[in-house]
Structure formats: structure tokens, C-alpha cells
Amino acid sequence: MTLTAHADTHFDALVIGAGAAGLFYGARAGEAGLRVLVIDHAAKPAEKVRISGGGRCNFTNIHTRPENFISANPHFAKSALARFTPQDFLDRLARHDIGWHEKTLGQLFCDGRSGAIIDMLLEELRETGGELRLGTSINSVTRTDTGFRISTSGGVIEAARLVIASGGLSIPKMGATGFAYDIARQFGHSVIEPRAALVPFVFEGRDKEDFASISGVACPVRASNDRAAFDEAMLFTHRGLSGPAILQISSYWQPGEPVVIDLLAGLNAVSALTAFKAEHPKRSLASAMETLLPNRLVALLSERGDIPDMPRMADMSHAAIEALVDSLSRWTVRPAGTEGWRTAEVTAGGINTDELSSKTMESRIVPGLYFIGECVDVTGWLGGYNFQWAWASAHAAAQG
């Protein structure tokens, strides 16, 4: 689209990024009386919203609190999260008659398809006078006396405020780029090294072969390291380990570190094995373990020597039962790495929050420049927290 008319080239706020944060900011800023343009290089808006939650969009989590977020400054997110809560977003869904339901651990999903959320975002942007231009790439961004001049594939745009909502590096096949970090550095901001988060682990050697041999097997575990612990499901894959517990701990993992997995999480395994021994003294330890863990996992653990070859439970002393349970509760693996940006659900790290206002998300270096959503060094847990950060940070910036 060629921009010619003066009215079409000057805006109060230009938003780069038509994802969750960018579209939500556009509507909130429009409500505040600003004339807003949202642009994106993609052909469709909010594609991450569309694919999230298996197509039903896990749009928030009712348990949202600052402790559910990772940042070099753990206090930064408090202000925005306090001023726009999950209930505030639910109130907006109610106005649009969008039904929702809770699954587990406070995760809220649409009753229908995630497109309902996208439709709401677009409708609110239109209702507040905002404009959306897709398929628009950025050539350059410069500072002017009155704000910013942005050269695009559709012409030059001038705006008093520039809001960067272009996300992080996760899922590059959907168009993710490091654009936000480039703009941040251009204007003197520092960037905390971005890394893939909420991402499966991969392994090498025997571990890779073993885990691939039982690909598809899942079980509830506690995955932990020195900094965090998560009680959810773990899934064996052809490349390593995945599932919610693994995705969660991956956000706290550093290369080379081990991960401790409690394979018997939530089970009173000593009592269960002791009772099995009393009732079935002539049966094997492996058969007893199959009452606690998936059969294929028990077979693999037996083959690896994690479960000893004990033909008769009668020969298993109480001390041996306790030692086995302790060992399987501290089953330790050392990932070779993660699957990286290709499958990471979110980016950890990002634009240094020390250089942003926690109240408005505005740059402390360049007035009128804002960063919101995933590009900022605030990373939520799995389960709707990152969408809540998108809504909250966008709302904060629109009020600023």
C-alpha cells in the first residue's frame, strides 16, 4: 500500500507487531484518545494466538502473580500485572460473549477456537479508530524532533510514540525475528542474551537412544534444579524429554546442568511397594513397579539398571525398598541441549528492564519509545502467563 495522504502518514502511536501485545495496546491506546497504527511484516495478525493452546488459546492464568515470571529484575513486572489482572481480561471476553473454561492449574482456554480472541482484538482496534496494515516491512527507524520517522515498504510514517511489540525469537517459521532487539540497541538499550524457553530437552548417546525407544510414554513427575521445581507431566520423545514439567524447568536451565526428576512424584511409593511385597511376595520387583510407572518405562529403567533385577519381592528388604524409591526420586539426567527456537514457546531474556519504566514500559533513554510483550526481559511460566504479560504490559504502556 502506498501512503500518500498526510492523514495516513502521521499517527499519535505506531505499533510494530500485530500480535497479542501490539493489538491489545492499539485498542487501549485508542480508548485513551490516541490515533494508532499497527503494522506487521506478516500476512496475518496474531498467528501465535491462533496456534496457542491447541487452537483454543490459553489466554491467561487465574493464579498469575509476579513469582510466575523470570527476569533479571523480578520486581519489574509487579506494577503492570497489578494494574491489569486476569479478571480484567475476562471482563473484556464477557463483553464479546466469548465463553471460556479452566483446565488444570488455573489455565483458562476459549470454549471455541482461538480465532475468537483474534476477532476480539481486531474488533476493539477498529472500534477505537485504530488502523492495521499487514505485509509491511521496516526499512529504517529514526528519531525526529516530534517523535519518530519510520520508513516502510509502504512509505514513510511519522509518529509521536513508537511501540515495539514484535516479540522474541521463538518459532521463527511464524516470522519471529530479532527486530525488537535491533531497535533497542539502536537507541542505546542493552539486551539480556535471549534464549529459548519453554522448550523440550534433547540428549545424545545412550540417553537419546533409550528415550527414543519409549517415545510417547508419559508420566507425572517433579522436574527440578537448584532454582525451581515443577510437578506436571513428562513425555519421552524421539529426541529426548518434553511435556509440561520439562518445558517449565527448561526456562530455568543453563547448558551443561543436570535436571533432577522425581519419577515417583505424588506417590507414597515405599508404602505401595511394601504392601505389594506383603500381598505378592513371589512376584518380581519389576511387576511391583508396573503398578506405579508405565510398563515401558519400567522395562527401560530395568534395562538401564535403575531398577535392580529382583525376581521375588520377598527378597527385597525394607531398606532396599527405601533406597530404590530414593534413587528413582532423584533420577538425574543431563540434557545435551534444547530443541531451540524451532519449538520454543517463548523467549527468555530480552530488553533490559532496568532501562524501562515499570509503570509505563517507556524507555528511560528515549522518550516516546516503548517495549511491550515478549521482547522484554519478562518470561512467564507455561499455562497462560505469557499472554497475561502481553495484556498487562500493553495496558500499562497505553496508560503511560
Side-chain angles (χ1 to χ4, degrees):
M1 179 185 294
T2 302
L3 303 177
T4 53
H6 184 276
D8 290 333
T9 61
H10 288 70
F11 294 85
D12 296 319
L14 173 68
V15 184
I16 299 179
L23 292 175
F24 200 68
Y25 171 88
R28 304 292 74 76
E31 289 173 345
L34 300 184
R35 186 159 184 268
V36 182
L37 170 65
V38 181
I39 65 176
D40 200 299
H41 67 100
K44 295 180 180 180
E47 281 296 276
K48 276 193 178 181
V49 175
R50 189 177 305 279
I51 68 167
S52 73
R56 292 189 182 275
C57 191
N58 179 195
F59 56 81
T60 192
N61 194 297
I62 58 174
H63 300 313
T64 298
R65 48 200 177 96
E67 292 77 14
N68 303 124
F69 296 83
I70 307 164
S71 173
N73 178 1
H75 301 290
F76 180 81
K78 290 181 177 179
S79 176
L81 292 172
R83 288 181 293 128
F84 192 86
T85 67
Q87 185 57 54
D88 291 322
F89 194 76
L90 289 177
D91 291 344
R92 292 209 162 265
L93 295 188
R95 293 176 207 165
H96 293 262
D97 295 320
I98 297 175
W100 55 272
H101 58 278
E102 179 182 353
K103 283 194 176 178
T104 59
L105 304 173
Q107 302 170 45
L108 303 189
F109 291 77
C110 294
D111 286 344
R113 306 304 296 174
S114 55
I117 299 285
I118 300 174
D119 291 343
M120 180 190 82
L121 295 172
L122 296 175
E123 182 180 336
E124 291 193 342
L125 180 66
R126 286 191 297 267
E127 288 176 345
T128 57
E131 188 178 339
L132 172 65
R133 298 179 192 172
L134 299 170
T136 303
S137 57
I138 308 295
N139 299 322
S140 64
V141 177
T142 55
R143 190 92 168 89
T144 68
D145 292 340
T146 57
F148 301 86
R149 179 179 291 112
I150 300 89
S151 172
T152 78
S153 58
V156 174
I157 301 167
E158 296 193 3
R161 301 183 184 190
L162 178 61
V163 181
I164 306 300
S166 55
L169 295 170
S170 57
I171 318 183
K173 69 179 180 182
M174 298 189 67
T177 71
F179 176 83
Y181 312 133
D182 295 338
I183 292 296
R185 293 187 183 103
Q186 176 185 334
F187 287 105
H189 281 265
S190 58
V191 176
I192 293 173
E193 186 65 29
R195 56 191 176 85
L198 298 181
V199 61
F201 287 135
V202 296
F203 292 80
E204 295 176 347
R206 183 184 176 186
D207 281 346
K208 180 180 179 180
E209 294 176 9
D210 286 351
F211 299 164
S213 73
I214 60 168
S215 178
V217 171
C219 61
V221 302
R222 164 169 283 204
S224 65
N225 59 17
D226 293 340
R227 295 175 295 283
F230 295 94
D231 294 293
E232 291 192 64
M234 178 179 76
L235 173 70
F236 290 88
T237 75
H238 286 292
R239 300 187 67 194
L241 296 174
S242 188
I246 296 302
L247 299 185
Q248 294 279 38
I249 201 64
S250 74
S251 297
Y252 291 85
W253 181 77
Q254 296 293 333
E257 288 183 341
V259 175
V260 178
I261 297 172
D262 181 353
L263 292 170
L264 301 171
L267 300 173
N268 191 338
V270 171
S271 295
L273 292 175
T274 301
F276 188 96
K277 173 185 174 181
E279 190 171 349
H280 307 287
K282 295 182 179 180
R283 292 181 62 180
S284 68
L285 172 59
S287 63
M289 291 304 305
E290 287 175 354
T291 66
L292 302 176
L293 295 172
N295 292 7
R296 291 171 66 198
L297 175 55
V298 171
L300 176 62
L301 293 172
S302 298
E303 182 183 324
R304 288 167 63 99
D306 295 309
I307 295 176
D309 180 16
M310 189 68 67
R312 287 167 25 102
M313 283 299 293
D315 299 327
M316 191 89 176
S317 69
H318 190 74
I321 290 175
E322 289 183 326
L324 173 63
V325 169
D326 182 64
S327 173
L328 294 180
S329 298
R330 293 185 292 105
W331 194 63
T332 302
V333 296
R334 194 176 296 272
T338 72
E339 291 192 358
W341 300 116
R342 182 179 64 84
T343 58
E345 295 197 16
V346 72
T347 302
I351 293 154
N352 192 337
T353 60
D354 289 346
E355 299 154 4
L356 303 177
S357 164
S358 62
K359 185 177 180 182
T360 66
M361 310 302 295
E362 185 176 14
S363 166
R364 296 186 182 278
I365 299 172
V366 179
L369 177 63
Y370 298 75
F371 296 93
I372 60 176
E374 186 182 352
C375 67
V376 178
D377 177 33
V378 174
T379 305
W381 289 3
L382 183 72
Y385 295 102
N386 287 294
F387 274 125
Q388 186 58 35
W389 172 245
W391 318 135
S393 60
H395 176 269
Q399 308 307 305

